[in-house]
Amino acid sequence: MSILIKYKLQLLCVFIGITQTINAQYNFEQIDVWSGSNGGSAKFLTEYNGELYFQAAELTPSFRKLYKTNGTMSGALQVATNLNGGAGYSPESLTVFNGELYFTAQVSGLGIELYKTNGTEMGTVLIKDIRTGGSNGLDQNSNNDKQLFIEYNGELYFRGSTNSSIELWKTDGTETGTVSVQNFEGTQTGAPAYVSNNDIEYLGVVFNNELFFSVNRSGTFELWKSDGTTAGTELVKGSFTDPINNLIVFDNTLFFTTAENATGNEIWSSDGTTSGTQIQHDIFPNNLNPALGLGSSPSDFFIFDNSLFFSARGYDDLNNTIIGRELYKSDGTNWELVKNINITDSGSSVEGSGLNSPKFKAFQNELLFIANDDNDGQYGLWKTDGTESGTVELISEFDTAESFQFRKAIEYNGNLFYFNFQDLWVTDGTLSGTEELTDITGANSTILLAQTGELIMFDNKLWFDGLSNANGSELTSLTDTTLSQNGTSFSGSKVKLYPNPVSHELHIDSNFDFDSITVYSLLGHVLLTSSESKINVAHLNAGQYIIKIKSYDQIKTLKFIKY
């Protein structure tokens, strides 16, 4: 079944409330999956094998199936029409692995289980029924706020539920190769737990060629590691009183946050051994009034310019004042307060918090984030170079008449596009270059709202779930028509990464000139930059990485595997 694009919208960007000269023209297009104004509500947008895959509904909201599009006017196709006897099956957590697309699906009589597809009806198959009967073998992820899978050593790891326990599982894509690695029950209840960082929950990270993850034992938490075997899955350190979060590899060390009774929630580090796992940065004093609590509660770890940036609360011993959540950084050995942004007294010698959810984003060699310099609860867009004087507000909430949420920010044609509440915005880091592209009134855009699930680039366009009066909430693309005027177009371009997987030196073979190459972790952290056609990745840990190749104002995104 082919679903044709129902209409094409052209928007001359006008933003009410900002006086500026509009210098770009944008085209919106929608793919109408659920015909009429009901809306298919596209989710889990994922590029695979040159096409864009997504979940959408038709006929009724419960009939959610897997679709794909090549990004052209030909529309979208259902991938697996009869996976659940023609009914919906809610495909979630779409993940590319070993040349196939893996996902979870909820099928009658089976519950949520693990599937894969090569993009065809016949090539869409159940890998294994992990939990027999109608109960779920894998986790539900309806809000797409979890990364269910992590690739390690040529296999995909995940939490699997049996009839008796939640365990660490892995798959190589075959039924016989989908097995439990470790059951954590023993003499005490336990299960792998997701860790969170920058609004994302994920299973763990690869460090020193092992998989590190957290186990929850009824409110106490442990750090574990695995080499992929049951015998090689072992406890690193346990008895933490807070969940393990912000798990990240930085400066050849594993960093995370957790708490013990003496210090509260602080930054820990590990070399992968019990003796080498210890508190690294004890930021908040432990000798204050007990009513003030313990721990700086660091969060939002982000690697930029060879430093680990994060938010935390602290203490000003000169003024005997508690500093609210503010901007800090670490070089792996020492920490420092970058800037105390909100110095407003919120009462009882406690300052307000400048950073609550900073939404860090590297852009044009600077680190952007959102912050509040008073207690009105409104956030502006800030930048930092890692120094106090270089940490400044770019655009305030008064400039735009709207607080910044800055969600899902992505670079496209030299600008950052992001969600504010249910609106799509664009910025080049200046007031004159910041504007709202959706319009709830319909006066300046037929796309009224953006459903803030995903915002990704595919086929030289931005894609998201947009709302219109005509089609409802449907898969929507945005094209910047100035692309054809800004130098090289990626249309027809060819890029080859080899060898891939790679152990030491990665080569970039392209039929166009490029300006720069940036390598990111899957969480969006900048790991290295280069302008050469070959880069040394020997220092990276084993795992999957994103590489962005920039030519003029365009960016091509690829992935490679380091082993």
Side-chain angles (χ1 to χ4, degrees):
M1 177 173 56
S2 178
I3 298 90
L4 298 180
I5 293 180
K6 189 169 183 178
Y7 70 99
K8 181 174 180 180
L9 304 166
Q10 190 173 64
L11 167 69
L12 288 175
C13 299
V14 178
F15 172 65
I16 299 174
I18 300 179
T19 302
Q20 58 185 331
T21 302
I22 304 302
N23 56 16
Q25 186 179 23
Y26 298 98
N27 285 341
F28 282 117
E29 296 175 344
Q30 277 195 314
I31 296 179
D32 193 20
V33 173
W34 187 350
S35 182
S37 60
N38 293 297
S41 300
K43 299 174 67 175
F44 301 97
L45 313 185
T46 305
E47 182 178 355
Y48 164 62
N49 200 24
E51 295 179 296
L52 185 63
Y53 286 70
F54 58 99
Q55 176 206 95
E58 64 163 356
L59 301 180
T60 71
S62 63
F63 270 50
R64 308 196 66 82
K65 300 180 181 180
L66 185 63
Y67 290 82
K68 66 178 180 179
T69 177
N70 60 9
T72 67
M73 295 292 288
S74 60
L77 295 172
Q78 278 190 25
V79 175
T81 307
N82 297 310
L83 186 62
N84 192 20
Y89 48 87
S90 298
E92 296 178 351
S93 301
L94 278 59
T95 302
V96 179
F97 171 67
N98 276 356
E100 295 177 296
L101 184 65
Y102 287 65
F103 61 97
T104 64
Q106 188 166 14
V107 172
S108 299
L110 294 177
I112 298 176
E113 296 292 351
L114 181 61
Y115 293 77
K116 68 177 181 178
T117 184
N118 62 4
T120 68
E121 183 86 30
M122 293 296 295
T124 304
V125 297
L126 170 70
I127 295 176
K128 187 168 187 171
D129 185 6
I130 291 172
R131 186 173 186 175
T132 56
S135 298
N136 298 336
L138 278 84
D139 294 321
Q140 190 171 22
N141 188 24
S142 56
N143 293 325
N144 200 16
D145 53 5
K146 294 183 177 67
Q147 291 182 355
L148 262 61
F149 305 108
I150 180 170
E151 185 176 343
Y152 164 59
N153 202 23
E155 295 173 303
L156 210 57
Y157 286 72
F158 56 95
R159 286 183 8 138
S161 298
T162 67
N163 289 321
S164 59
S165 60
I166 301 175
E167 306 165 356
L168 180 66
W169 280 66
K170 67 177 182 179
T171 183
D172 62 2
T174 67
E175 182 177 9
T176 57
T178 303
V179 296
S180 173
V181 177
Q182 180 73 22
N183 182 322
F184 298 93
E185 293 293 315
T187 58
Q188 187 180 5
T189 300
Y194 292 104
V195 299
S196 66
N197 185 28
N198 287 301
D199 298 331
I200 300 173
E201 295 184 17
Y202 51 102
L203 185 60
V205 298
V206 177
F207 171 61
N208 279 352
N209 294 318
E210 293 179 299
L211 177 62
F212 285 76
F213 58 97
S214 171
V215 168
N216 181 357
R217 293 196 183 277
S218 301
T220 61
F221 302 87
E222 303 169 344
L223 180 66
W224 282 69
K225 66 179 181 180
S226 176
D227 64 1
T229 67
T230 301
T233 302
E234 59 187 53
L235 173 69
V236 178
K237 189 176 180 68
S239 300
F240 294 118
T241 56
D242 275 3
I244 293 173
N245 283 314
N246 304 291
L247 191 63
I248 194 172
V249 178
F250 170 66
D251 195 32
N252 296 316
T253 304
L254 187 67
F255 286 84
F256 58 96
T257 59
T258 191
E260 59 180 6
N261 290 325
T263 61
N265 196 293
E266 294 289 359
I267 298 179
W268 286 67
S269 66
S270 177
D271 62 2
T273 67
T274 301
S275 61
T277 302
Q278 56 195 353
I279 191 166
Q280 182 69 25
H281 298 322
D282 190 1
I283 297 172
F284 194 82
N286 303 314
N287 58 354
L288 301 180
N289 186 331
L292 299 176
L294 294 174
S296 62
S297 300
S299 65
D300 308 300
F301 285 10
F302 194 91
I303 300 170
F304 175 75
D305 196 24
N306 298 316
S307 294
L308 181 64
F309 287 79
F310 58 95
S311 65
R313 74 165 185 159
Y315 182 72
D316 183 351
D317 53 1
L318 294 178
N319 298 307
N320 193 30
T321 301
I322 293 177
I323 300 172
R325 184 167 294 279
E326 295 292 351
L327 180 63
Y328 289 77
K329 72 175 183 178
S330 169
D331 63 5
T333 302
N334 301 301
W335 63 269
E336 64 176 287
L337 173 66
V338 177
K339 186 165 187 171
N340 187 2
I341 292 174
N342 188 348
I343 60 174
T344 306
D345 191 343
S346 62
S348 302
S349 297
V350 178
E351 293 180 358
S353 293
L355 282 72
N356 277 319
S357 184
K359 305 293 191 300
F360 290 123
K361 179 69 178 181
F363 178 62
Q364 296 181 350
N365 299 317
E366 293 177 316
L367 183 60
L368 302 190
F369 61 99
I370 58 172
N372 174 25
D373 57 7
D374 56 35
N375 288 328
D376 63 1
Q378 304 297 303
Y379 288 80
L381 184 63
W382 288 65
K383 72 173 183 178
T384 185
D385 61 3
T387 67
E388 183 177 14
S389 61
T391 303
V392 297
E393 188 173 34
L394 293 171
I395 309 166
S396 78
E397 67 274 19
F398 302 106
D399 294 326
T400 61
E402 184 169 338
S403 180
F404 277 79
Q405 278 196 325
F406 204 54
R407 298 186 61 230
K408 310 288 186 179
I410 183 173
E411 187 173 351
Y412 171 57
N413 196 24
N415 294 318
L416 279 180
F417 292 75
Y418 61 94
F419 294 134
N420 255 19
F421 303 94
Q422 284 188 281
D423 299 315
L424 178 65
W425 286 67
V426 61
T427 185
D428 62 2
T430 69
L431 175 58
S432 62
T434 302
E435 54 192 300
E436 183 181 359
L437 301 180
T438 50
D439 182 7
I440 186 61
T441 69
N444 300 305
S445 170
T446 317
I447 299 299
L448 310 179
L449 294 172
Q451 313 296 0
T452 57
E454 297 87 38
L455 183 59
I456 74 168
M457 189 161 63
F458 167 71
D459 192 36
N460 223 17
K461 304 175 185 178
L462 283 184
W463 296 81
F464 62 100
D465 185 34
L467 176 70
S468 70
N469 283 325
N471 291 344
S473 181
E474 292 284 8
L475 181 64
T476 305
S477 67
L478 175 147
T479 304
D480 188 335
T481 60
T482 64
L483 280 171
S484 61
Q485 305 166 17
N486 290 339
T488 301
S489 170
F490 277 140
S491 178
S493 65
K494 295 180 180 180
V495 183
K496 180 181 180 181
L497 303 180
Y498 68 93
N500 189 11
V502 59
S503 61
H504 289 86
E505 191 171 74
L506 181 67
H507 294 252
I508 298 95
D509 185 11
S510 68
N511 63 351
F512 59 90
D513 295 328
F514 53 81
D515 305 317
S516 64
I517 295 169
T518 306
V519 174
Y520 299 81
S521 71
L522 291 182
L523 296 178
H525 303 296
V526 177
L527 302 180
L528 65 91
T529 58
S530 175
S531 59
E532 303 296 324
S533 60
K534 54 185 178 181
I535 53 177
N536 190 337
V537 297
H539 64 288
L540 298 178
N541 289 293
Q544 193 174 43
Y545 295 89
I546 297 170
I547 184 169
K548 293 188 177 182
I549 303 170
K550 185 174 183 180
S551 177
Y552 294 88
D553 286 329
Q554 299 183 71
I555 295 175
K556 195 169 188 72
T557 302
L558 302 167
K559 290 183 179 181
F560 69 91
I561 297 172
K562 167 67 168 58
Y563 67 88

